[in-house]
Amino acid sequence: MASETVIGSLRQQIATCESQLQDLKRQLAEVEHQSQQRRTNLALEQGVHTIDDPLAFDFSHGIHDDFKSEVLAALAQPEETTPPQRRWPLEANEYKRYGRQLIMPEIGLQGQLRLKNASVLIVGVGGLGCPAAAYLVGAGVGKVGLVDGDTVEESNLHRQILHSTAKVNMTKVESAMIALHSLNPNVELVPHQGRLTPETALSTLQPYDIVLDCTDTPASRYLISDSCVLLGKPLISASALRTDGQLMVLNNPPLPPGNTSGGPCYRCVFPKPPPAESVVTCGDGGILGPVVGTMGTLQALEAIKVLTKQPSASLNDPAPVDHPFLLIFSAYSSPMFRTIRLRTRKLKCAVCSAHATLTPEALNSGSMDYVQFCGTVGPIDALSSNERISAENYAKVRLNVNPFTGSEPSKDSHILVDVREKVQFDLCNLEGSVNVPFSAVTSLPVGARNGRANESNPEAVWVSELRQHADKPIFVVCRRGNDSQFTVKKMKELGLDNGGQRWIGDIRGGLLAWRDNVDREFPEY
Amino acid sequence: MPDTQNEGTIKITVEFSGGLEMLFSNERKLSLYIPAIDADGSRSNIAFLVRHLCETFMNDPRKELFVLDDTVRPGILVLINDADWELEGEDKYVIEEGDNILFVSTLHGG
Ligand SMILES: [Zn+2]
């Protein structure tokens, strides 16, 4: 442990030094660039007066002196009185850096200037926020704010492309700042360390023109949307899980609550939060890097579109209205993309309608509990203590005597059922365990040995196999110790405990506890 | 399910996205025939379809992951021919031959 701390601290110091070094290099480059420009200007100025200059030759032979001095004054003026950066709207390096997008009619000089004058807040610097930030900083958005309260973990790296192996344990905001600064030092980066809360949301969002929701919980999605409506900011919201992604541009145009021409908000589309037990996280459901990367990239694209949108040429010819839409990305479906027309603002929306009840004061006071609004799944405690066994005690069962039944040690003194899905079971499992995927457990009809269980369903097969060895106690294990409890109850419903004669119970804390307390080499994923 | 069209049935496509397919034997797309008239004698609408899907196609007993209070649960968007069902009259929308009904569960990961 001690050496791990030292390694972590050294890595952090190296990263900090690297960032300082990069900053110094940038400053040096800027100073060198400026002095080079000064030398060039000086040479130009002097050149006008030398006899080698063909213009000067022409002027000396046959042009009236008064006119000559006027022309010379005009020629010399831009160099003498105006600093070089005023001569062109963008810096020399910006023409080069952004040249490939500048020559596109969608951007052009005006679009680039709009980006340069714009500010974007990115809430969440994970799988969505990393690519979104990279493209927006790369494109030359003037100011980019980053909000996140987490630190970089190894399991983030396959998709969170601004973070890297050396930056594990560093805060995500700090890690992203280093990567983004080296990508484009022209952009002002603003760190907002910590999670967005109702009390801090309005003051955090206020200075920005547009907000990207790159978070991963329903509570934060409602909070960000509500804040955007109250502050009149367009919101680009995306999410991803497994092989699917979704994207919406909300509150666009960002008109005041009650104005039905404004774009719908998150609450218009989803007035009520989903039941907490239906919400699956990337940690539990899985996520493919390019899937979430695609969604984050699309968020950057939509932000660029909103920021560079040209105002209508005349009042009689208003700019075309963007219809609200939901983009659905399904990596393994054909076609992969589809766009769905969304509703307009809901007439009774609690936040963006004329009947809105949410006020900035209520939000700032902290009286709005978004976590409670969305509900939480508390720690599951479905079993009594004599139906559960700790990982350490189960390890003794495998070596010694079952503390509950007193039966003799033996490989097949008991049955160990692992209810993780097959793909996880195949990653790593305890020797001798039997895999019954949790989906097979849940898909059994409630309350019954009847009906469908008699058909040739695979779930009926595992049930009858367990029924065959009526003497052996059954231990159920899963990843974290939740699904195993549900399974124990289900097995008892099915009568597998022979009216209480056979012990059925679960391993508390699942394979995570097994790894932490018994076998440190058991893979953690 | 019968694969041929009978008198009084309409053919529609039902799709699931955002993880809902897992409640329907991992089928993302179903082509099915439903009665044009429901048991009460009125023309089949989305409310009927939701009940029909629950009873006939949903293997998972956790019905609450699809329906709540007799309609689709919060967090599921119903899209009729690629438009939000709110634009079409929600669950009272009368289903027509060839309609595409998509159920999308919101995702929250990021
Ligand atoms: Zn609204």
Side-chain angles (χ1 to χ4, degrees):
Chain A
M1 278 313 285
S3 73
E4 274 172 35
T5 320
V6 174
I7 290 168
S9 148
L10 282 172
R11 278 186 176 152
Q12 199 139 0
Q13 283 180 42
I14 290 170
T16 312
C17 289
E18 275 174 349
S19 125
Q20 283 172 347
L21 184 64
Q22 274 164 2
D23 195 47
L24 286 170
K25 280 183 179 166
R26 176 182 64 92
Q27 289 179 32
L28 176 66
E30 274 171 15
V31 174
E32 279 178 345
H33 180 67
Q34 279 166 10
S35 88
Q36 174 66 33
Q37 268 183 333
R38 264 198 296 277
R39 273 201 302 278
T40 316
N41 293 342
L42 208 63
L44 269 173
E45 217 172 287
Q46 287 166 346
V48 177
H49 299 286
T50 60
I51 202 74
D52 301 338
D53 193 306
L55 253 185
F57 181 85
D58 282 352
F59 286 166
S60 328
H61 298 83
I63 298 174
H64 193 277
D65 264 3
D66 286 352
F67 180 64
K68 185 163 69 180
S69 57
E70 241 172 71
V71 172
L72 281 177
L75 278 173
Q77 201 175 19
E79 277 81 12
E80 275 170 4
T81 59
T82 324
Q85 55 264 47
R86 283 291 178 81
R87 189 168 171 199
W88 306 105
L90 295 170
E91 305 276 347
N93 77 76
E94 292 175 313
Y95 285 95
K96 263 194 190 156
R97 179 182 282 267
Y98 308 123
R100 300 295 188 274
Q101 70 189 37
L102 275 170
I103 59 174
M104 294 177 57
E106 288 81 2
I107 306 293
L109 179 63
Q110 289 312 313
Q112 190 64 48
L113 288 170
R114 284 193 191 100
L115 289 176
K116 192 178 176 177
N117 291 323
S119 55
V120 178
L121 183 70
I122 297 175
V123 190
V125 193
L128 295 166
C130 283
Y135 278 111
L136 291 175
V137 166
V141 167
K143 183 165 96 174
V144 172
L146 304 167
V147 186
D148 207 307
D150 290 345
T151 51
V152 178
E153 291 176 27
E154 209 165 351
S155 64
N156 300 148
L157 299 179
H158 81 292
R159 66 189 189 283
Q160 304 186 10
I161 54 168
L162 294 177
H163 312 312
S164 56
T165 311
K167 295 196 282 190
V168 168
N169 293 329
M170 189 185 280
T171 69
K172 287 191 179 177
V173 167
E174 201 183 345
S175 162
M177 297 267 294
I178 294 169
L180 293 170
H181 184 79
S182 77
L183 172 63
N184 188 351
N186 298 326
V187 176
E188 183 193 346
L189 300 170
V190 184
H192 299 276
Q193 193 63 57
R195 268 177 182 277
L196 205 65
T197 66
E199 293 92 327
T200 59
L202 293 182
S203 59
T204 307
L205 268 61
Q206 177 64 60
Y208 296 90
D209 298 326
I210 188 170
V211 178
L212 267 58
D213 183 348
C214 301
T215 65
D216 58 1
T217 66
S220 54
R221 292 188 183 278
Y222 282 100
L223 171 62
I224 293 167
S225 173
D226 291 356
S227 306
C228 282
V229 173
L230 289 176
L231 295 167
K233 318 267 182 202
L235 168 63
I236 298 170
S237 181
S239 57
L241 183 70
R242 301 190 182 99
T243 60
D244 291 355
Q246 294 168 358
L247 172 91
M248 291 184 287
V249 180
L250 297 165
N251 198 38
N252 184 44
L255 301 177
N259 187 329
T260 50
S261 301
C265 77
Y266 195 77
R267 277 186 203 264
C268 294
V269 185
F270 300 109
K272 287 188 209 159
E277 59 274 15
S278 72
V279 176
V280 183
T281 64
C282 291
D284 287 335
I287 180 69
L288 211 50
V291 169
V292 68
T294 298
M295 302 320 293
T297 302
L298 287 170
Q299 280 181 288
L301 176 62
E302 289 301 327
I304 289 172
K305 280 160 71 176
V306 171
L307 291 173
T308 59
K309 190 176 182 190
Q310 287 161 19
S312 60
S314 74
L315 285 172
N316 299 332
D317 178 28
V321 180
D322 296 320
H323 287 284
F325 68 91
L326 165 72
L327 179 78
I328 299 178
F329 174 55
S330 296
Y332 284 76
S333 296
S334 182
M336 286 198 276
F337 288 96
R338 65 196 289 182
T339 305
I340 272 109
R341 272 187 304 133
L342 281 183
R343 53 159 314 121
T344 50
R345 279 190 173 176
K346 198 178 170 78
L347 287 175
K348 287 180 182 165
C349 177
V351 178
C352 74
S353 72
H355 307 280
T357 49
L358 182 70
T359 62
E361 292 73 32
L363 199 62
N364 283 331
S365 74
S367 65
M368 294 280 299
D369 191 337
Y370 285 83
V371 175
Q372 194 195 3
F373 171 65
C374 293
T376 44
V377 183
I380 294 169
D381 197 15
L383 302 178
S384 65
S385 58
N386 57 8
E387 292 172 290
R388 313 202 69 184
I389 183 170
S390 67
E392 297 95 313
N393 277 337
Y394 176 67
K396 287 180 195 153
V397 171
R398 285 172 78 93
L399 296 168
N400 298 301
V401 178
N402 183 334
F404 294 104
T405 65
S407 64
E408 285 301 303
S410 154
K411 266 265 147 52
D412 46 52
S413 66
H414 65 276
I415 302 170
L416 176 62
V417 176
D418 186 331
V419 291
R420 292 173 301 154
E421 294 304 312
K422 185 177 182 301
V423 61
Q424 290 187 47
F425 181 81
D426 289 345
L427 291 179
C428 51
N429 55 61
L430 293 181
E431 198 192 338
S433 57
V434 184
N435 186 215
V436 178
F438 190 60
S439 55
V441 178
T442 56
S443 64
L444 276 190
V446 190
R449 301 163 177 172
N450 52 27
R452 296 186 211 183
N454 290 334
E455 295 163 25
S456 58
N457 278 336
E459 52 263 50
V461 174
W462 68 261
V463 174
S464 58
E465 274 177 8
L466 286 175
R467 202 164 267 138
Q468 278 171 18
H469 309 277
D471 54 323
K472 292 180 185 173
I474 300 175
F475 294 82
V476 184
V477 71
C478 65
R479 192 174 174 192
R480 303 182 206 278
N482 290 337
D483 293 350
S484 55
Q485 297 183 49
F486 181 91
T487 307
V488 168
K489 287 191 98 72
K490 190 84 178 183
M491 285 177 171
K492 292 190 175 178
E493 269 174 44
L494 292 164
L496 288 173
D497 62 340
N498 299 328
Q501 298 205 344
R502 174 193 356 210
W503 189 84
I504 304 180
D506 87 321
I507 297 175
R508 200 190 294 267
L511 290 164
L512 211 62
W514 178 263
R515 184 194 168 275
D516 286 346
N517 304 321
V518 179
D519 180 5
R520 298 290 300 174
E521 286 176 17
F522 194 81
E524 186 187 8
Y525 59 90
Chain B
M1 283 307 286
D3 231 32
T4 51
Q5 180 146 21
N6 300 319
E7 200 59 24
T9 64
I10 41 182
K11 187 182 185 191
I12 59 167
T13 306
V14 174
E15 293 184 80
F16 302 105
S17 174
L20 289 177
E21 64 278 6
M22 291 183 187
L23 304 175
F24 293 90
S25 316
N26 273 317
E27 294 286 348
R28 280 179 178 266
K29 196 170 189 171
L30 300 172
S31 282
L32 55 116
Y33 294 94
I34 58 163
I37 307 290
D38 69 14
D40 302 332
S42 36
R43 294 176 65 196
S44 296
N45 57 19
I46 298 287
F48 166 81
L49 176 67
V50 169
R51 282 197 303 275
H52 182 67
L53 288 171
C54 246
E55 287 159 11
T56 318
F57 290 94
M58 194 170 165
N59 284 331
D60 202 302
R62 295 172 298 170
K63 307 288 180 200
E64 71 277 9
L65 294 180
F66 188 58
V67 286
L68 191 72
D69 299 331
D70 230 23
T71 186
V72 286
R73 69 156 168 83
I76 294 180
L77 274 185
V78 186
L79 301 148
I80 300 163
N81 300 324
D82 281 351
D84 194 326
W85 73 338
E86 301 227 13
L87 301 169
E88 311 287 347
E90 301 199 12
D91 62 0
K92 288 171 192 66
Y93 170 82
V94 173
I95 299 170
E96 307 216 2
E97 172 82 19
D99 275 351
N100 176 296
I101 319 288
L102 169 63
F103 296 90
V104 188
S105 173
T106 45
L107 305 174
H108 295 283

